[in-house]
Amino acid sequence: MSVLVAGGTGGCGQLVVQRLVKQGRSVRVLTRNPQRASQLGSVEVYQGTVLSQEDCHRAVESCRAIVCTVGATVDDVGGQLVDGDGIINLARAAVDAKVERFILVSSLGVGDSWGWMPYPVQWFFQFHGEVPILQEKARSETYVRSAGIAWTILRPGFLTNSSMRAEPLLLPPSGRVPGITSRQAVADVVVRCLESDRAVRQTFTVVDNWLRKAIWRGEPVRLNVPWHA
């Protein structure tokens, strides 16, 4: 399966690319800065941005799956955000190209997950000016769900660079865990979701496994693709 990773030179995107390459997959990366892709190994590199419909259509051509890990920073707020129009452009291109799978890495705090988050966490997002980004993510999530493609939406918690020490905890959207998620855990779940029919048209919260004992008491979601340490 040939896979396009949009944002493949970012923190999560690089780890997704590395896992796919290890599996022997054909990988294409869409990035604004192709020099950052020099350490990714044997991948196709397309320079461009998801804010360009032309770049999106060019990048998705002949790909069977798309992983979207793009994300804005607070410095980008005030203009057109990749989290909104950019993801929508990519999803439209996926529909036109008849792409089989679309994995979107979103965020906790988006959509219905905002209302149940503790006030200190809401305050954190508000204080750091990230609410407009979350609103754009909610808009693009809604579009992806209605686009007529086999989608999966992942909402990780606060991202860290720590090591993945156990199988990531995969929860339904109602799983109220405003937690912490390593980027390695996100990459692991992304790659397994590409092969799991249990992930199609599903939204999952992704957090590190230790939160199961600390906070979560329910039954996690199990993908029918095994996890490997």
Side-chain angles (χ1 to χ4, degrees):
M1 178 187 289
S2 55
V3 183
L4 169 69
V5 182
T9 56
C12 287
Q14 289 188 50
L15 295 173
V16 171
V17 170
Q18 289 168 6
R19 284 178 174 270
L20 292 171
V21 169
K22 272 189 173 183
Q23 290 183 353
R25 305 282 191 97
S26 174
V27 181
R28 181 180 298 168
V29 172
L30 176 62
T31 177
R32 289 176 294 182
N33 185 357
Q35 292 182 339
R36 294 183 62 184
S38 59
Q39 305 299 318
L40 294 178
S42 180
V43 300
E44 259 189 295
V45 180
Y46 277 37
Q47 183 174 8
T49 171
V50 292
L51 291 174
S52 164
Q53 294 184 31
E54 181 181 352
D55 288 348
C56 288
H57 280 86
R58 180 171 55 91
V60 304
E61 186 177 355
S62 76
C63 287
R64 294 176 58 195
I66 296 174
V67 174
C68 182
T69 63
V70 299
T73 67
V74 291
D75 295 332
D76 302 314
V77 173
Q80 195 179 25
L81 295 180
V82 295
D83 304 85
D85 292 326
I87 293 171
I88 291 171
N89 286 341
L90 193 63
R92 284 175 176 157
V95 172
D96 292 343
K98 296 180 172 55
V99 169
E100 295 177 10
R101 295 288 283 113
F102 191 100
I103 311 292
L104 172 60
V105 178
S106 185
S107 172
L108 272 181
V110 174
D112 53 0
S113 68
W114 174 264
W116 54 255
M117 296 186 75
Y119 179 75
V121 180
Q122 294 182 2
W123 176 87
F124 177 88
F125 283 122
Q126 292 168 341
F127 179 80
H128 288 278
E130 295 187 15
V131 171
I133 296 175
L134 297 179
Q135 291 171 339
E136 286 297 280
K137 286 181 181 292
R139 185 166 69 92
S140 59
E141 276 193 13
T142 299
Y143 183 87
V144 167
R145 290 190 183 94
S146 65
I149 50 181
W151 55 268
T152 302
I153 294 174
L154 304 177
R155 291 174 174 172
F158 292 103
L159 291 170
T160 74
N161 290 320
S162 59
S163 298
M164 176 179 58
R165 301 186 182 279
E167 181 176 0
L169 196 59
L170 203 58
L171 310 176
S174 59
R176 302 187 174 194
V177 183
I180 297 169
T181 315
S182 71
R183 289 180 172 86
Q184 287 186 6
V186 174
D188 167 79
V189 173
V190 164
V191 174
R192 287 193 291 139
C193 281
L194 283 171
E195 298 296 331
S196 176
D197 55 4
R198 294 181 186 173
V200 175
R201 298 186 178 276
Q202 298 294 325
T203 301
F204 297 129
T205 299
V206 185
V207 291
D208 288 345
N209 188 279
W210 62 268
L211 285 163
R212 181 172 185 179
K213 292 182 179 179
I215 300 174
W216 178 252
R217 294 293 185 268
E219 184 64 27
V221 177
R222 298 290 183 186
L223 298 176
N224 51 348
V225 178
W227 176 80
H228 297 287

